Structures are given as structure tokens and as C-alpha cells.
Amino acid sequence: MAEAPTFKELFHDCQRSAVHLETRDAYSKTDSAFIDWKAGKSIDPQRWGAWRSIVGESVSRGVAIRRARVVSTPVSEYIRFEYDVTAGLNIAAGEDVRWLSRRDATGITLPGNDFWLFDSSLVYVNHFDGEGEPTEPELTEGPEIVKLCESAFEAVWKQATPHADFEVR
């Protein structure tokens, strides 16, 4: 099996849109930024300089980048961390970010995994182990999966609250 392209390559090839759906309440708890945040240390968004550069370059070419997060409420400690760094990381880089309480997502058909969808045609499936650590991703252009991911993202996006208006509780 060929190695999955890097995010830099995926975004470089992207022409119109990149959307990301996140549905977990915790990710890599070994992430140094999360550990620093838990310890009360200030988080410098520049630590994600490569990501900010990838997103910024894509947005400057006209690529619309949207991220939607479906979260349990009250939110987990990890989601509180994500919320706290979103403005300085994701939004500052050029992403549009929205949040949806899991309680409000009951009527939405969601895929079993987080994903990125590039130009409504290529799905990069994120896989994680039980502790939230990333495992081998999956890339597909399967029409059924693309359709499911696109409709799920748009349904979440339609109901979700913009970052600036979402209340973490």
C-alpha cells in the first residue's frame, strides 16, 4: 500500500475546499501543547507554524477551509483545550470553525471516523486508537464515502455555532 500523502501535499493539490469533521471528545493526550495547557503554561500559536503556513497558503489561493466539531457537553478537558487554542491556531490561520453539541446531532447521520474532505472528491479518514492516538490514516475517493462525508459535514455545519458564539460548558 502506498504511503498516504502529507497534509502539505493534500492542501497543495486542493483547489476549492477542505472541510474537517471532528467527533471525538479527546485526542492525543500526550500532545505537548495539551500537557503544557494542563500545567497552566501559555500556549504560543507559533508552535503550530507549519500548520498555519499550510492553511494560510491554501486560503490565499482561494481554498475555503472549514472545521466542525461535534462535542459532548459539558465538554471534556481536551475539548476545553481545543476551544482555548482555536482562535490563535485555526481561525488565525484562516479556517472557519464551528461547534455542535452532540445532543443536537442526534438526527444527523455521521461516519464512524473523523475525516478531511478535499474538493468534495477525496476523503482522508483519520483513525485513532482507544486512547486517542492517531493510527494509520485511510485515503478514499469511493463515491459512497465521499457522499456520506459531504452530507454529514454540511448537516453539522448548518446546525453548528460559530466559534466566537459557542459557549464552552
Side-chain angles (χ1 to χ4, degrees), residues 8-28:
K8 185 174 184 175
E9 293 166 333
L10 289 165
F11 276 91
H12 180 268
D13 293 342
C14 187
Q15 300 299 309
R16 296 177 310 281
S17 66
V19 301
H20 185 37
L21 183 64
E22 298 178 7
T23 60
R24 297 178 55 90
D25 285 322
Y27 292 88
S28 178

Side-chain angles (χ1 to χ4, degrees), residues 41-64:
K41 295 180 182 174
S42 176
I43 304 297
D44 180 0
Q46 293 306 317
R47 78 189 308 151
W48 294 291
W51 178 252
R52 290 168 53 120
S53 175
I54 289 168
V55 171
E57 187 276 328
S58 298
V59 169
S60 73
R61 289 187 292 108
V63 176

Side-chain angles (χ1 to χ4, degrees), residues 18-167:
V19 301
H20 185 37
L21 183 64
E22 298 178 7
T23 60
R24 297 178 55 90
D25 285 322
Y27 292 88
S28 178
K29 294 179 183 179
T30 61
D31 177 357
S32 63
F34 177 60
I35 292 167
D36 287 349
W37 176 87
K38 280 178 50 173
K41 295 180 182 174
S42 176
I43 304 297
D44 180 0
Q46 293 306 317
R47 78 189 308 151
W48 294 291
W51 178 252
R52 290 168 53 120
S53 175
I54 289 168
V55 171
E57 187 276 328
S58 298
V59 169
S60 73
R61 289 187 292 108
V63 176
I65 302 176
R66 297 181 292 157
R67 180 184 300 254
R69 293 176 169 142
V70 178
V71 298
S72 297
T73 51
V75 299
S76 69
E77 183 179 41
Y78 193 91
I79 294 302
R80 186 169 299 281
F81 156 71
E82 278 194 331
Y83 182 84
D84 285 353
V85 300
T86 293
L89 169 61
N90 307 97
I91 294 171
E95 293 182 45
D96 191 357
V97 180
R98 293 188 182 180
W99 302 79
L100 181 64
S101 169
R102 192 173 312 285
R103 181 173 293 280
D104 297 329
T106 302
I108 301 173
T109 301
L110 297 172
N113 298 292
D114 291 8
F115 63 85
W116 277 95
L117 174 61
F118 295 94
D119 290 333
S120 300
S121 62
L122 178 66
V123 179
Y124 182 97
V125 181
N126 299 108
H127 293 288
F128 300 91
D129 67 18
E131 297 299 321
E133 298 297 330
T135 62
E136 190 68 28
E138 176 183 355
L139 206 56
T140 182
E141 295 176 284
E144 300 83 15
I145 295 173
V146 167
K147 183 178 176 183
L148 170 63
C149 291
E150 186 166 42
S151 67
F153 181 87
E154 294 303 333
V156 168
W157 190 257
K158 183 178 177 182
Q159 286 187 244
T161 302
H163 176 76
D165 300 326
F166 186 74
E167 293 182 27

